[in-house]
Amino acid sequence: MLGLAQKNSPFPIFFCKFRRNRPKFSCLLDHANVIAAAAAAGKAHGAVTSAITHVAVTAVAIASGACLSTKVQKAIAFAKRAHHGQFRKTGDPYLTHCIHTGRILAMLIPSSGKRAVDTVVAGILHDVVDDACESLGSIEEEFGDEVAKLVAGVSRLSYINQANDLRVMLLGMVDDPRVVLIKLADRLHNMRTIYALPPAKARAVAQETLLIWCSLASRLGLWALKAELEDLCFAVLQPQIFRKMRADLASMWSPRNRVGYSRRITTIVSSPPLDERTASDDESFTTFDEHVLSMKDLLEAVVPFDILSDRRKRTKFLHDLAKSSEAQKKAKVVQDAGIALTSLVACEEALEKELLISTSYIPGMEVTLSSRLKSLYSIFSKMRRKDVGIHKVYDARALRVVVGDKNGTLHGPAIQCCYSLLDIVHRLWIPIDGEFDDYIVNPKPSGYQSLHTAVQGPDGSALEVQIRTQKMHEYAEHGLAAHWLYKETGNKLQSISSMDESDIEASSSLSKDTDDHNPLDTDLFQKYSSLKMGHPVIRVEGSNLLAAVIIRVEKGGRELLVAVSFGLAASEVVADRRPSFQIKCWEAYARLYKKASDEWWCQPGHGDWCTCLEKYTLCRDGMYHKQDQFGRLLPTFIQITHLTEEEESEYWAVVSAVFEGKPVDSVVSRRSSDSVAPTSMEASINNKVRLLRTMLRWEEQLRSEASLRQSKLGGKANGNPDSVVPGEVVIVCWPNGEIMRLRSGSTAADAAMKVGLEGKLVLVNGQLVLPNTELKDGDIVEVRV
């Protein structure tokens, strides 16, 4: 933790904490990777290489002294014996693949706990049954029943056709998502070494990975792993476009283009979009050896997913890249990847320096700074979808600032700090017009909250910055698989069953796909022309958030007259979104509106000591900025509070009650009675139910995409009924959460019969239903005894 303070200084103390979330056993596996790679690079015999690897790993494990490393060490020894004499197509001992798989898992899961250790152990042993003829019995005897079940689950997944047997895979995963985590880690390392396969085989594997495993990683919330998988597939499937995009980004972010902290907005000229058809299927490779060398360069230009999350590893990665470039000329595409990563480090260091010297933050707040590079595949997809050049992808690189809130106890002050940090970012770098989104005041339907802004970085190119509190960050970041693992340690997460994929991905991968638009176009005016007098807004000035209401709408929404309450802080309003607290907020807004109306205040400057009317104008950046008496636009702005239909109805009911002098108790009681059932249902639903529903949506999405592709190719969308239309429904038996599989068309009575309670009352999703009610995938069925 870094601190900045001066004796007798009037400035508040600022703490900037840069976390290194490194699993306790990942050091063991990191050392094993280095040793295994060094041994494989030599000319030693396979048995000698394997022995050297094992002895070195054992020494590291013993030196570490961690009790949990004993089981990992034992697993490496077991895998070494099982895979003795076996080599990969790359020429490396098979043990290296086992170690790499375990290391990837160590970076994906919580750093402690029996389930975490068993997951890493199962990852190391994942191939001993299929490729080394070891028995599950021997694994169970050596490592326990849980590890044996995980290895068996991975083995079953190896024999199914992922494209046609999605339901088999997802049902196995719902029982224990760690099975799919291990398979994802296995697939990631296989993709890193895919250059050893013949070109046609490599493309087929990459296509399947992109279709199935990248999509699955997205559903599980494994954004960093998904990004690396996508780029590895992209390098194999579209090598020419991959090279060109790497070169274009390196050119944009090259240190020689760095222009300092320019305060003048410049015009960004977009280049024409890339055309997917420029890539050739044969990639102009004349021999297999040439293909291997070229493909190795492309794969090396994909930055490993864990590099960005660990500063020490990132520094070492760049140092090794520079060192190897001096010793032998590295391919340009690899050097371009280094330039991209270096540019991100420069942005992070510049913001870190600014945070340490700035004085407008909250005393004692901890700030965590992290960064990421958007995957080239995501950039390419966005360019095609929006028909824009690479310069118009503003989130190709991004920084995230997370403000500590002491486990939610300081959530209100932390929100104030977020807006203060936003002001610091906008003073450091010029914001790009129309690229600011306030998801704190206006959360996404999923509940995701954060500040998003795009600025011109130190090199003049676009950079996205996200700012959020720790509570918001935890809500956004924990994927479903991590959630399943965390239950061992008792951590509680908010409900994520209602989050759709786009909302989750937009939050956790530090990306934001908003349609490029002119903030002053007709659509925007139509959006704001519907604003009404009395609508609640939030006034933002530095870190100060105040409640306000619209008094008058002028020029079709271009100008607003707003009544600001200087005695009604809005940071707590934003922080606390409980239904009961929200009603009190609506009442406060309503009384502010009534006060301005009763006093006949109608011009800027009207008011008293607690309330003042201010004029706001819609500007190029898409925000309403304050206009002073001389017509000058100030940094102070307001955020329009977007209300759902339910919230809007409730708010105006409160306004009506306040203006008529009636108590708001009736509104409160109605809200409470309406919210009891869903809140109770959501509070009681378990992890398995949420995961099942999410995976069923994923299955439906993939099948829909497959049908669409078939129709575009002129094939029959339903050519194989068994692979497109599942022959069963999957339900959850309440309250134990057991998964039940029934034939399609089964009814509530069938479910009761199957559990041996024929003729009893059946509730589906909390509602009493008739016996002949047909069941659907993901239904929660409770049979009353």
Side-chain angles (χ1 to χ4, degrees), residues 619-639:
C619 300
R620 289 181 57 206
D621 59 6
M623 295 187 291
Y624 284 97
H625 284 274
K626 182 180 177 181
Q627 183 176 319
D628 66 10
Q629 64 269 34
F630 304 106
R632 296 174 301 190
L633 296 174
L634 306 179
T636 302
F637 65 94
I638 59 169
Q639 277 295 102

Side-chain angles (χ1 to χ4, degrees), residues 301-504:
V302 177
V303 180
F305 79 92
D306 55 312
I307 293 296
L308 294 177
S309 62
D310 191 311
R311 282 191 165 190
R312 185 183 63 82
K313 292 172 68 175
R314 185 177 61 192
T315 301
K316 182 178 183 301
F317 179 85
L318 289 172
H319 175 75
D320 293 344
L321 183 60
K323 188 175 180 180
S324 61
S325 297
E326 293 174 1
Q328 56 181 357
K329 186 66 175 177
K330 280 285 185 182
K332 184 179 183 302
V333 68
V334 179
Q335 296 180 39
D336 289 342
I339 291 174
L341 189 57
T342 301
S343 79
L344 191 63
V345 172
C347 294
E348 188 174 305
E349 290 177 349
L351 182 55
E352 176 184 336
K353 181 179 179 181
E354 186 72 11
L355 293 179
L356 287 172
I357 64 176
S358 294
T359 61
S360 55
Y361 27 68
I362 307 298
M365 282 296 173
E366 295 180 357
V367 174
T368 303
L369 188 60
S370 60
S371 56
R372 77 100 177 90
L373 293 171
K374 191 180 183 74
S375 73
L376 292 188
Y377 179 77
S378 293
I379 296 174
F380 176 60
S381 299
K382 187 171 185 178
M383 290 166 63
R384 285 197 305 172
R385 185 173 66 255
K386 296 188 174 183
D387 193 25
V388 297
I390 199 168
H391 293 81
K392 286 291 186 180
V393 180
Y394 298 131
D395 60 343
R397 56 182 180 171
L399 301 179
R400 176 184 292 140
V401 186
V402 179
V403 181
D405 55 14
K406 303 295 184 182
N407 295 322
T409 58
L410 296 178
H411 198 44
I415 287 176
Q416 289 181 286
C417 187
C418 287
Y419 285 93
S420 181
L421 292 172
L422 176 70
D423 186 55
I424 292 174
V425 170
H426 283 174
R427 284 191 283 109
L428 175 63
W429 294 309
I430 292 297
I432 297 174
D433 285 347
E435 292 299 318
F436 170 68
D437 288 297
D438 189 339
Y439 296 120
I440 292 181
V441 171
N442 295 304
K444 291 192 174 185
S446 63
Y448 168 74
Q449 291 182 284
S450 184
L451 296 176
H452 289 194
T453 186
V455 298
Q456 295 181 43
D459 48 20
S461 296
L463 168 71
E464 183 183 75
V465 181
Q466 291 184 4
I467 306 171
R468 62 179 66 152
T469 68
Q470 185 63 36
K471 183 178 180 181
M472 298 172 188
H473 179 65
E474 290 174 357
Y475 181 84
E477 280 298 288
H478 290 309
L480 290 170
H483 186 195
W484 189 272
L485 285 163
Y486 282 142
K487 73 175 185 179
E488 176 186 56
T489 57
N491 291 342
K492 302 294 184 183
L493 300 178
Q494 299 185 47
S495 169
I496 47 181
S497 60
S498 63
M499 299 175 77
D500 66 32
E501 185 173 13
S502 60
D503 283 334
I504 303 175

Side-chain angles (χ1 to χ4, degrees), residues 127-145:
D127 275 339
V128 297
V129 172
D130 295 336
D131 294 335
C133 300
E134 288 286 345
S135 68
L136 289 173
S138 62
I139 296 176
E140 182 176 359
E141 183 178 347
E142 292 283 338
F143 301 98
D145 178 64

